[in-house]
Amino acid sequence: MAYTVSATTKGGRNGRAILDNSALALAMGLQKEFGGNGEGHNPEQLFVLGWSACFGQAILALSKKHGLDGQDARVTCSIVMDKDEISFFFKAELKVTIPGADKAKVQALVEDAHKICPYSRATRNNVPVTLTVV
């Protein structure tokens, strides 16, 4: 089984992005921090939405193995985008909380989820990621 999704953007960070099935279309806008007006969405916002949802699904998939109920898990994904003389780069943090759960068990679950989440796998060895249990 495979899932394929595609999108087309015209105008880059100040353009319009649309899923090829037309289910979602967004006005894009360069961030104020990088010289834009900050109106519209940017790729980094979409990335953190996707990564937090994907990581949450990995938590759900592995929670029973760790003796936890993943239904109450909250996953926050934060990206810091910065620029040096040559290019842009990311640093990421995945922050997970499961209210009332043993922190050591949650930490083990988070580390396992980081191994199977496709976003985590796609950024491995390319984006520094901090895993935090709250």
Side-chain angles (χ1 to χ4, degrees), residues 2-132:
Y3 171 71
T4 302
V5 62
S6 60
T8 301
T9 300
K10 182 178 179 191
R13 287 180 173 267
N14 284 313
R16 187 156 180 80
I18 185 167
L19 289 176
D20 287 349
N21 67 1
S22 300
L24 178 66
L26 297 170
M28 305 302 287
L30 183 62
Q31 300 95 313
K32 287 182 180 180
E33 294 82 352
F34 297 110
N37 65 14
E39 294 178 16
H41 304 281
N42 63 67
E44 293 71 36
Q45 292 170 328
L46 304 175
F47 189 75
V48 296
L49 285 169
W51 198 350
S52 65
C54 182
F55 202 83
Q57 191 62 41
I59 293 286
L60 285 169
L62 296 172
S63 60
K64 285 186 183 179
K65 171 185 167 189
H66 290 272
L68 295 166
D69 181 0
Q71 292 296 323
D72 289 333
R74 292 179 55 112
V75 177
T76 301
C77 179
S78 301
I79 292 286
V80 174
M81 183 177 168
D82 209 347
K83 184 178 184 323
D84 59 23
E85 315 76 50
I86 301 168
S87 62
F88 290 92
F89 60 90
F90 291 142
K91 293 181 215 170
E93 180 181 24
L94 292 165
K95 195 180 299 184
V96 178
T97 183
I98 301 178
D102 177 82
K103 276 193 167 187
K105 283 186 173 186
V106 177
Q107 183 68 44
L109 171 58
V110 166
E111 290 172 13
D112 270 0
H114 190 52
K115 293 175 188 171
I116 69 164
C117 172
Y119 281 75
S120 294
R121 293 177 70 196
T123 58
R124 190 161 292 128
N125 301 320
N126 188 30
V127 173
V129 178
T130 302
L131 301 174
T132 304

